[in-house]
Amino acid sequence: MIQADVAQAIKDQANQDQTLAADPQASVWVAASAGTGKTTVLVNRLLRLFLNGTDPARVLCLTYTRAGAAEMANRIADTLQKWSLFSQAELSRALEELLGRPVEDEGITLARQLFARVLDAPGNLKIMTIHAFCQSVLKRFPLEAGVQPHFEIMEEHAAKQALNAAIQATLVKARSDSAGNLATALTILASEMAEGRFSDLITDLISHKKQFQLFLSSHADSKAATQAIYAYCGLDPDASEAAILSKVGTQTDSSFFFSLGQIVQTLAESSKSTDQNLAATLQKYIETNDFESLQSAFMTADGTPRAARYITKEIRDNHPQAAQFLDDLQQKVAKVCEQLNALIIARTTTAFMELGREILNHYTAYKQMRACLDYDDLILKTLSLLESRSQTAWVLYKLDGGIDHILVDEAQDTSAEQWEIIRRLTEDTFSGETKTFENKTLFVVGDVKQSIFSFQGANPDKFVEMREYFAEKIENAQKKWSEIPLYVSFRSSSVVLRAVDQVFKRSEMEKEVSYGEKYLDHAASRVGEGGVVEIWPEVIAPSKQKQEDPWPLPLKYVRDPSPAQILADQIADTIAEWRVEEQAGNQNAVLPGDIMILVRKRTSF
C-alpha cells in the first residue's frame, strides 16, 4: 500500500509540473531529460492554446526532425478527432484532466469544433523543422532574401556530390599553377594531414561558412587574414622553424655547446644508465644539431616535459649547476616545441583558408548555376532576411498576419544562427511597448546536458545564454515567465535512474554538464519495478599474431579481433544465455522483444 501511495504521489507531481508547463498564458522554459514527457507537454500546450481561442494559423512549433514533427501533428489530429466523437460526459472528463479544472458547455462546444478549425487553418498547422520553416519563408520572399524564386533544396547526398565537385575543381586549379598560392597551400596540407581528414575539415567549413565568410570579410586581403592567424597563434607573420630553433642554441653559439659538452662528459661518467643514455642523446645533438634528439631527451611522446627524474639524484646532488643548466634547457625545449606546434597550426590554418575559400567559391557557384540551396543556406538566408527590423515586421505580417506563439522542441540542438532567427521572430513580441502583444508566448523544452553533442552546431553555452536572454526580456515586459524542470521519468526504472544520478552528481561531471543548472535527482514513475546496472570490463584488442607468411592466401576465414567484434560477441553470448531460459519453459524468461540495444552512432559495431 505504501508503494502504491509513493507511485501515486510521484505521478501527481509529474502531472502538476506538466500542467504548469502547458499553461497557455505563460512563457515557459522546460528543462527535461529523455522520457519525462516532453512530447506530451508540447501536445497538451498546443491543445490548451487552441482551447484558449488561439488561431491555429498563428502558432509555430519548431521540432528537430521531420519524424518528430509528424508524430506531434498526428497526436494533435488523433486527440481532436476523438474529442469530436466523444459523448458529452467523456469529453468533459478529458478536458478536465487536460486543464485541471471543470469545463463549461461553451468550452466543450469549442473543443468539438477544433478538429475542423485545425484542418482548415491557412497553410495547415505549423509543426515543422526549423529548416522547413525557413524554406517556407524563402519561398514567400525570394526577392527580399536574394534567392532564386524557383530554388530547390539539395539533399545531403546531392550536397556531398557538389562539395566533391568543388574540391576536385580546386585541386585541378592548384595543379595547373604549381607556383601559385593554391599549390603551396595544397603542398602544406598534404604533408600535415591525411586525405580523409581534409574532407572532414572541408565539410565542417561548409557547415560554418557564415563564420568563415565573416572572418574573411573582416580582413582587407589574404595577407591581413594570415597575419591575424599567426598573431592568434602567438607568432610573427615571418616566423620560421630556423628562427624558433635558434632560441635553443645554434652551432655559432660556442659557449652554449661548450657548456653542454662538459655536462655530457659529467653524465657519461655517472654510474647510472639513465644519465649515460641522456649523455648519448645529448652528444648526438652536439654532433648533428638535430632538434629531435633534444626532444627525445627532455619531452615525452605526447609532447609534455619529462619529470625531474630524467637525470638521477646523484647528478642533482653532486652537480647542481649541471642539473640547473639541464632544467633550464628543458624549459627552452618545451617552449620551442610549443612554438613549433603553433607554427604548424598557423601554416596549415593559412593553407586551409586559401583552399577553403576557393572550394567555397566553387561550391557556391555550383549551387547558383542549378538554383539550389543546402540546409545551411536555408538558415543563413532566412537570418539575413530578418536582420532588419522592418524586414522582420513585413515578413511576420505576411505570414498569415504574424505568429503569436512559438514552441521550440529539442532546444539543446538549436544552433546559434537558429536561435538568432527565433530571437528576431520574438523581438517585438516581448518589447513591452504595446498591449497588442500581451497574449503572445514562447515555449522552449530541452536538456542542456545533451547539447554537448553539438548536433546542428548547437552549443550548451548558447542554450544557457538564450534562456537568460528570454527570461530577462519577458520579465521586463511584465509578462509571465516560468522555468520548470521535469524530472519524473516514465521510461526507465529507479535502479537505472539512480545509477545515472550518481554519475552526473559527481563534482567533476556536474561541472562539465550542468552549465549553471542545479542537477535534480530523477524519480521513476514505475515504482517497484526491477532493474540492474552492470559495468562490464573494458574490451582491449589482443596483440596481433606475427604473420609468418608475408603474403597469405585468403583460404581461411579469420574472425575480426577488434574490440567492437569482441564486445558484440559478448553481448550475443549473454542474450543466448537468456534465451536458454525461455527455451526451458520459464514463464519469466527474457524474450527477444524485451531487448533493446542502444549505440551512440551507426558503425560496424
Side-chain angles (χ1 to χ4, degrees), residues 444-498:
V444 178
V445 59
D447 181 8
V448 68
K449 296 188 295 298
Q450 296 181 44
S451 196
I452 61 175
F453 294 109
S454 299
F455 296 132
Q456 293 191 149
N459 185 304
D461 292 322
K462 191 67 178 179
F463 181 92
V464 175
E465 176 191 328
M466 294 309 299
R467 182 188 64 203
E468 294 173 350
Y469 166 81
F470 283 117
E472 180 181 5
K473 190 84 172 176
I474 293 171
E475 288 174 347
N476 288 344
Q478 298 183 337
K479 297 178 183 180
K480 190 174 179 181
W481 168 262
S482 300
E483 294 182 22
I484 300 175
L486 300 181
Y487 59 90
V488 177
S489 174
F490 297 90
R491 184 175 299 171
S492 195
S493 67
S494 58
V495 174
V496 175
L497 293 173
R498 280 203 305 272

Side-chain angles (χ1 to χ4, degrees), residues 347-361:
R347 280 179 176 172
T348 52
T349 302
T350 302
F352 186 72
M353 175 189 70
E354 293 290 344
L355 284 175
R357 176 170 46 196
E358 189 67 25
I359 291 171
L360 186 57
N361 289 340

Side-chain angles (χ1 to χ4, degrees), residues 179-364:
N181 291 337
L182 288 179
T184 303
L186 183 60
T187 301
I188 292 172
L189 290 178
S191 65
E192 296 294 341
M193 67 176 62
E195 181 181 356
R197 177 64 179 150
F198 176 72
S199 298
D200 292 340
L201 284 173
I202 290 296
T203 302
D204 287 342
L205 172 68
I206 296 299
S207 63
H208 295 87
K209 53 179 172 280
K210 181 181 180 183
Q211 292 90 328
F212 182 57
Q213 290 168 334
L214 284 174
F215 172 77
L216 293 176
S217 63
S218 63
H219 298 89
D221 50 28
S222 292
K223 183 178 180 180
T226 300
Q227 290 175 343
I229 292 171
Y230 273 73
Y232 183 83
C233 294
L235 299 171
D236 294 328
D238 57 350
S240 65
E241 289 183 3
I244 294 173
L245 290 173
S246 67
K247 296 178 182 179
V248 174
T250 63
Q251 293 289 10
T252 59
D253 190 352
S254 57
S255 62
F256 169 77
F257 278 93
F258 177 77
S259 299
L260 186 60
Q262 287 185 317
I263 291 173
V264 167
Q265 185 176 352
T266 300
L267 292 170
E269 293 172 354
S270 171
S271 61
K272 306 294 184 180
S273 60
T274 299
D275 298 327
Q276 294 171 3
N277 292 337
L278 179 59
T281 303
L282 294 177
Q283 182 61 38
K284 182 180 178 182
Y285 172 68
I286 292 174
E287 294 172 355
T288 63
N289 201 29
D290 181 10
F291 182 71
E292 289 185 2
S293 301
L294 282 184
Q295 277 185 289
S296 63
F298 295 112
M299 309 295 288
T300 64
D302 61 1
T304 58
R306 294 187 184 278
R309 59 178 179 273
Y310 67 89
I311 54 174
T312 62
K313 187 174 183 298
E314 175 185 326
I315 294 294
R316 291 194 177 277
D317 291 343
N318 299 330
H319 305 279
Q321 290 183 330
Q324 185 61 52
F325 182 94
L326 292 174
D327 287 343
D328 293 342
L329 181 56
Q330 184 186 43
Q331 292 182 10
K332 285 184 180 180
V333 171
K335 184 66 175 177
V336 165
C337 288
E338 182 182 329
Q339 291 186 334
L340 288 175
N341 288 335
L343 181 61
I344 292 173
I345 293 172
R347 280 179 176 172
T348 52
T349 302
T350 302
F352 186 72
M353 175 189 70
E354 293 290 344
L355 284 175
R357 176 170 46 196
E358 189 67 25
I359 291 171
L360 186 57
N361 289 340
H362 280 288
Y363 182 68
T364 303

Side-chain angles (χ1 to χ4, degrees), residues 458-589:
N459 185 304
D461 292 322
K462 191 67 178 179
F463 181 92
V464 175
E465 176 191 328
M466 294 309 299
R467 182 188 64 203
E468 294 173 350
Y469 166 81
F470 283 117
E472 180 181 5
K473 190 84 172 176
I474 293 171
E475 288 174 347
N476 288 344
Q478 298 183 337
K479 297 178 183 180
K480 190 174 179 181
W481 168 262
S482 300
E483 294 182 22
I484 300 175
L486 300 181
Y487 59 90
V488 177
S489 174
F490 297 90
R491 184 175 299 171
S492 195
S493 67
S494 58
V495 174
V496 175
L497 293 173
R498 280 203 305 272
V500 172
D501 289 338
Q502 288 179 19
V503 170
F504 279 92
K505 287 177 69 177
R506 293 169 63 186
S507 58
E508 65 272 22
M509 179 66 77
E510 191 171 12
K511 183 179 178 182
E512 289 293 328
V513 301
S514 65
Y515 290 90
E517 291 187 347
K518 186 179 185 303
Y519 186 82
L520 294 174
D521 286 336
H522 291 85
S525 66
R526 298 160 60 180
V527 175
E529 295 193 17
V532 64
V533 176
E534 289 185 347
I535 307 297
W536 286 8
E538 182 182 3
V539 178
I540 301 175
S543 57
K544 291 186 177 180
Q545 298 287 335
K546 185 178 180 181
Q547 206 165 305
E548 297 179 359
D549 190 343
W551 192 358
L553 294 174
L555 303 177
K556 183 171 68 171
Y557 173 73
V558 180
R559 195 162 182 78
D560 178 16
S562 68
Q565 181 63 57
I566 295 170
L567 179 57
D569 290 339
Q570 290 178 4
I571 294 173
D573 292 341
T574 300
I575 294 174
E577 291 177 10
W578 294 343
R579 295 297 308 283
V580 169
E581 296 183 10
E582 176 203 350
Q583 293 164 3
N586 185 346
Q587 293 182 349
N588 296 322

Side-chain angles (χ1 to χ4, degrees), residues 590-605:
V590 175
L591 302 177
D594 298 330
I595 300 167
M596 177 182 292
I597 300 174
L598 304 179
V599 293
R600 288 186 62 180
K601 60 177 66 175
R602 294 183 181 182
T603 62
S604 58
F605 172 71

